[in-house]
């Protein structure tokens, strides 16, 4: 008897991803571009696990979650994301960033996201 193996995630992960998607659909009614949707959609960070020491980071969990979703949607390498953010100030601002994160900033933040958080954001 074969069994399907799925990633181990909290029961809240599908609901959290679903909530992000539902809000994104609502935002899509008035937004004219995907990155505007990402900037306006509500991302409930209480359900995400980011093990960075928040008082020491330059980029918060919510903005890093937005960038992670952006990277996933466009299937970009971290270096490509960093380049786009550097060359597109409106995108940078819309994703909730005050300055351009380096590729190292992105890598560190995403390595500190739990597997459940990454799965949730990818599902959204």
């Amino acid at each position: 008897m074969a069994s399907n193996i799925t990633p181990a995630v909290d029961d809240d992960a599908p609901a959290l991803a679903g909530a992000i998607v539902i809000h994104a659909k609502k935002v899509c009614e008035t937004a004219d571009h995907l990155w505007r949707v990402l900037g306006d959609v509500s991302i409930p960070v209480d359900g995400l696990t980011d093990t960075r020491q928040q008082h020491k980071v330059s980029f918060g969990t919510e903005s890093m979650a937005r960038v992670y979703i952006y990277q996933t949607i466009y299937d970009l390498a971290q270096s490509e994301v960093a380049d786009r953010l550097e060359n597109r100030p409106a995108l940078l601002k819309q994703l909730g960033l005050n300055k351009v994160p380096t590729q190292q900033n992105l890598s560190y933040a995403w390595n500190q996201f739990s597997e459940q958080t990454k799965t949730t954001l990818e599902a959204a």
Side-chain angles (χ1 to χ4, degrees):
M1 181 175 179
S3 65
N4 292 332
I5 298 175
T6 57
V9 295
D10 265 359
D11 292 340
D12 291 345
L16 181 60
I20 294 170
V21 170
I22 288 168
H23 190 242
K25 285 181 183 178
K26 192 72 174 160
V27 173
C28 281
E29 294 173 8
T30 57
D32 61 351
H33 200 279
L34 177 63
W35 56 269
R36 291 190 195 276
V37 173
L38 286 176
D40 293 341
V41 73
S42 175
I43 298 181
V45 294
D46 290 346
L48 305 179
T49 303
D50 178 355
T51 59
R52 296 176 298 154
Q53 294 180 350
Q54 294 300 307
H55 66 284
K56 292 184 177 181
V57 299
S58 299
F59 307 100
T61 301
E62 185 172 4
S63 57
M64 287 289 99
R66 290 178 196 288
V67 175
Y68 188 85
I69 292 171
Y70 179 83
Q71 176 187 351
T72 302
I73 289 169
Y74 285 105
D75 194 27
L76 301 171
Q78 287 175 350
S79 60
E80 293 172 307
V81 172
D83 288 345
R84 284 189 183 195
L85 291 171
E86 185 171 344
N87 294 317
R88 299 176 183 172
L91 173 63
L92 184 75
K93 183 179 178 184
Q94 190 67 24
L95 295 179
L97 301 166
N98 294 326
K99 62 182 182 177
V100 179
T102 64
Q103 182 179 349
Q104 291 78 15
N105 294 135
L106 298 173
S107 179
Y108 175 68
W110 295 336
N111 284 332
Q112 300 306 307
F113 282 179
S114 69
E115 287 306 311
Q116 173 187 328
T117 292
K118 290 176 189 175
T119 300
T120 299
L121 296 173
E122 289 167 6

